[in-house]
Amino acid sequence: MTKFSELGLAAPVQKAVAGEGYETPTPIQVRAIPPLLQGKDVVGIAQTGTGKTAAFVLPILTRLLEEKKQAPGLSCRCLILAPTRELAAQIGESIAVYGQHTGLSHAVVFGGVKHGPQVRALARGLDILVATPGRLLDHVADRKARLDLTSLVVLDEADQMLDLGFMPALRKILQMVGKPRQTVMFSATMPPPIRALADDFLRDPVTVAVANQAKPVERIEQGVMYVGTAEKRQALIDLMAPEAKKSTIIFTRTKRGADKVAQLLVEYGHKAAAIHGNKSQNQREKALAAFKSGEMRVLVATDIAARGLDIDGVELVVNFELPNVPESYVHRIGRTARAGAQGRAVALVAPDERGLLQDIEKLTGLRIKGLNDAPPISGPTRPVQPQRGPRRGGGHGGGQGGNRQGGQRGQQNSGGGGQKRSGNRRRKPGGGQRQSA
């Protein structure tokens, strides 16, 4: 069995990994780290909760240490792009932990916070910059950042980054990056049309696919409850009554819907809060902190929380409404059963969502168990889509694609050490085996 010590990682990086109590890498780490260390373009595809962040952070830290170059002022040696503020912050936490013995600098920039601290971090020059697209372009437009000296780019949650809502900003950014560059993309799902777009930015990439990219982890017990649209609220209350003490994430299709569901749960005595793109940065951070600490047991979210958020101990995921994009279902339920744990996912499916359920089952190749009898279909099997104006690409909100929630997240900065560690598992290799005592 391969160990981290056999992957060619720099000694300071191995020391940090060992300090976290891990010695055995996950399959995606075993297969992705070697070509990344060789400087090759890589597309990494693996199920949620399998340690994808460490699969690119560890070799990046090693590469930067080996190059022994000075971080350029107003720029960065490595750029990591993420679709949401929360994911960007978590990647920053991983870098802080794994880079604590390296002396490498990093910062995280996103919208919703003041520019000043981010500008000062950029002015000094950074080894690694983690950013959401809109705020990064703001800094470039203000001549506070440049990308022509950047030689390594990572797209985390690449399928969402390549979605149409992000493409204009993404193309602008990649056109500014120096050449030749190494380009790395990681995601749990990569539909063929999105992969075709990805190839526009890649050079002879090594594709590392671990397991069926659209199949949820087997440790998730999935179920469907068939309900009428008007019965969903009561069905949710009935479902949650015996689950009051469990850590639960409930997904809705809209921001307004998330607020209404959170309010309903509070009225029935649950400690709950909503998180979505219309919430202020302070509200989002406060809700996440309360949920992670266990002070609040229920988090109601749009798909902003379906991408990358790694919170220990989520026992139940409820799809109050099914997503229009079947891949989003995989990301949603992937918030549970992480790092070897067990989990449960329940979907409340109305008659007009039966077509969406069929899309999900076709994508995953799994028949989801019904928790009650499915009534005959007598009307539309898909929700009626409201008329929408043109989608904005990559602007100040980070871009939106379909139901996916974009966003920018705030700034953190470190010189490789001294940051307080977060309790979430995103910073760990994920799924690896702890050393025996």
Side-chain angles (χ1 to χ4, degrees):
M1 184 177 292
T2 304
K3 296 183 178 182
F4 280 109
S5 58
E6 300 171 359
L7 292 178
L9 299 172
V13 178
Q14 290 190 46
K15 181 179 179 181
V17 172
E20 293 300 300
Y22 286 88
E23 62 177 15
T24 304
T26 63
I28 185 66
Q29 293 163 359
V30 170
R31 295 179 58 186
I33 288 175
L36 276 167
L37 288 175
Q38 295 168 10
K40 296 179 179 179
D41 286 7
V42 173
V43 176
I45 306 168
Q47 294 169 320
T48 58
T50 55
K52 290 189 293 295
T53 300
F56 62 80
V57 168
L58 300 180
I60 285 172
L61 292 169
T62 298
R63 286 280 310 281
L64 295 178
L65 279 174
E66 291 175 347
E67 290 177 357
K68 298 180 180 179
K69 293 182 179 179
Q70 181 72 28
L74 300 180
S75 190
C76 59
R77 299 167 64 193
C78 170
L79 171 64
I80 302 175
L81 293 171
T84 68
R85 308 172 186 182
E86 285 72 21
L87 179 54
Q90 285 191 167
I91 296 170
E93 291 168 0
S94 292
I95 295 168
V97 171
Y98 296 134
Q100 62 185 293
H101 305 301
T102 66
L104 297 171
S105 61
H106 84 277
V108 183
V109 303
F110 45 72
V113 296
K114 294 180 179 179
H115 286 231
Q118 300 177 1
V119 170
R120 288 192 289 273
L122 286 164
R124 293 190 293 268
L126 297 162
D127 292 300
I128 305 174
L129 173 64
V130 186
T132 48
R135 177 55 66 92
L136 176 59
L137 286 175
D138 287 344
H139 288 309
V140 172
D142 293 339
R143 297 186 178 182
K144 303 300 182 182
R146 54 185 293 189
L147 300 174
D148 58 306
L149 300 177
T150 301
S151 59
L152 173 55
V153 178
V154 178
L155 274 60
D156 197 13
E157 299 298 341
D159 60 333
Q160 187 176 12
M161 295 297 294
L162 293 167
D163 190 26
L164 292 178
F166 284 97
M167 280 301 290
L170 190 58
R171 288 191 183 278
K172 285 182 182 178
I173 290 170
L174 292 179
Q175 286 172 358
M176 297 176 190
V177 173
K179 292 182 178 58
R181 69 166 187 262
Q182 181 182 8
T183 306
V184 179
M185 301 184 183
F186 274 81
S187 185
T189 57
M190 186 72 72
I194 300 297
R195 177 55 198 267
L197 287 174
D199 286 338
D200 291 344
F201 305 111
L202 297 164
R203 175 172 47 88
D204 299 324
V206 174
T207 299
V208 178
V210 178
N212 183 343
Q213 60 174 292
K215 187 177 181 180
V217 295
E218 295 178 355
R219 297 184 305 277
I220 302 175
E221 179 187 344
Q222 300 179 64
V224 171
M225 185 178 295
Y226 297 99
V227 297
T229 302
E231 303 166 354
K232 273 200 176 185
R233 289 163 61 89
Q234 188 58 50
L236 178 64
I237 294 303
D238 293 342
L239 173 65
M240 292 299 297
E243 314 285 355
K245 294 183 179 181
K246 290 186 177 179
S247 178
T248 303
I249 298 180
I250 300 173
F251 285 102
T252 64
R253 195 178 295 127
T254 66
K255 302 169 187 175
R256 185 179 179 187
D259 287 332
K260 287 185 174 181
V261 168
Q263 182 179 356
L264 173 69
L265 291 168
V266 170
E267 290 173 356
Y268 275 81
H270 295 274
K271 291 185 177 180
I275 178 173
H276 52 69
N278 283 354
K279 295 288 186 179
S280 70
Q281 188 59 38
N282 182 58
Q283 289 173 318
R284 289 160 72 160
E285 290 180 348
K286 185 176 180 181
L288 277 175
F291 186 64
K292 288 179 179 179
S293 69
E295 175 187 346
M296 182 182 71
R297 305 303 294 172
V298 183
L299 186 68
V300 186
T302 54
D303 283 324
I304 192 172
R307 294 287 181 148
L309 280 187
D310 194 345
I311 300 170
D312 286 346
V314 175
E315 300 167 89
L316 175 65
V317 171
V318 178
N319 277 283
F320 183 75
E321 296 161 320
L322 290 180
N324 290 332
V325 180
E327 287 84 4
S328 293
Y329 174 84
V330 177
H331 287 276
R332 286 181 178 190
I333 70 171
R335 298 314 99 200
T336 187
R338 300 182 74 82
Q342 301 292 319
R344 183 165 163 245
V346 177
L348 304 181
V349 179
D352 66 351
E353 295 176 297
R354 297 279 284 276
L356 299 179
L357 177 61
Q358 292 172 358
D359 293 343
I360 291 166
E361 292 181 330
K362 181 179 179 181
L363 174 74
T364 61
L366 299 172
R367 178 78 173 178
I368 302 175
K369 180 178 67 175
L371 302 178
N372 59 349
D373 293 333
I377 300 175
S378 59
T381 61
R382 297 179 185 277
V384 177
Q385 296 299 312
Q387 295 294 321
R388 309 180 76 169
R391 288 187 292 184
R392 294 176 59 190
H396 297 276
Q400 291 186 355
N403 271 345
R404 300 165 175 149
Q405 304 295 330
Q408 313 292 10
R409 170 127 178 147
Q411 182 267 350
Q412 298 171 340
N413 182 33
S414 85
Q419 284 199 3
K420 183 178 179 181
R421 297 184 183 182
S422 165
N424 74 68
R425 196 175 296 273
R426 184 75 179 183
R427 58 183 172 80
K428 297 182 179 179
Q433 298 179 5
R434 291 189 180 275
Q435 295 175 336
S436 58

